[in-house]
Amino acid sequence: MIVSHRICFFIPFAILGLESCDIAGLELQKTVPYEYNVLDPKINMTALEFLYQDREDTVFKLMQEGIAYAGLAEEYSKSDRTFLFLTNDAILRFNANGTVNEASYFGFNKVNGEPASKWEDYPVEEVREFFRYHIIQGFYSYDNLGAENIPVQTLLQADNNLAYIKIQNARNSKLRVNDIPLTPRFIEARSSNIQPTNGVIHAFDSFIIPLTD
């Protein structure tokens, strides 16, 4: 039996400028013009509406519950704010063996020596101040931040209400908060520059605590 083979030589064809050739009856992919576009960061809703909007995922579910317990929902409707949104992992994250990860809020802030399981395990004022420290007065985004730390005022009702925010001077240019020497914790955004009608939102998988002198 005679078998016929059809052979395509890539180099000669490339030199001749041919766009495609036939390989066993299959054509190589033809050149398609690349269409470049940038997603619009603006969303037509407040930060509160974005937090509670209907979505298939529940990435902010624990944050929703914490804000409800603290009675701070109205703060997310006020203008000229930078909101540090916390995912579920920032609040309650489990290790592979089923124990609570001590980097998450419930694992870091133990109650009677044990990780918390719900916001109600903490005094309401403690939870209120925790979320206030994650709301910054003013608008801080990629539009007005650089590689140098900028001190910003949070809503924390204490003398140590300052935080520091910057864009990491690296290839990925991640937004970081409290990335300063000797800081107890700093966080790097997983999503940045979401712009509701009343400010800007940056989302994190971890949390910050007030800085000490």
Side-chain angles (χ1 to χ4, degrees), residues 161-179:
N161 71 340
L162 285 182
Y164 292 83
I165 188 169
K166 71 175 184 178
I167 304 298
Q168 184 186 15
N169 187 17
R171 179 179 179 182
N172 293 330
S173 299
K174 296 284 190 177
L175 184 142
R176 288 186 170 186
V177 182
N178 282 358
D179 181 13

Side-chain angles (χ1 to χ4, degrees), residues 49-68:
E49 291 169 334
F50 178 77
L51 177 64
Y52 283 97
Q53 70 173 333
D54 293 333
R55 53 165 60 92
E56 292 183 4
D57 64 79
T58 55
V59 67
F60 299 123
K61 180 176 176 56
L62 291 175
M63 181 180 177
Q64 294 172 1
E65 293 174 355
I67 290 170

Side-chain angles (χ1 to χ4, degrees), residues 10-20 31:
F10 294 97
I11 295 177
F13 284 5
I15 293 174
L16 291 173
L18 299 180
E19 292 186 356
S20 64
T31 302

Side-chain angles (χ1 to χ4, degrees), residues 106-158:
F106 284 1
F108 186 82
N109 296 279
K110 293 181 172 59
V111 178
N112 297 323
E114 296 294 331
S117 60
K118 58 186 183 302
W119 290 111
E120 287 77 10
D121 291 338
Y122 302 104
V124 66
E125 186 59 28
E126 180 179 332
V127 177
R128 187 174 294 126
E129 291 300 275
F130 169 71
F131 280 109
R132 281 177 176 156
Y133 192 58
H134 289 77
I135 302 175
I136 295 170
Q137 301 180 54
F139 185 100
Y140 297 95
S141 74
Y142 283 85
D143 299 328
N144 60 354
L145 291 173
E148 297 297 325
N149 271 309
I150 294 178
V152 293
Q153 285 196 331
T154 71
L155 298 189
L156 181 67
Q157 296 181 338

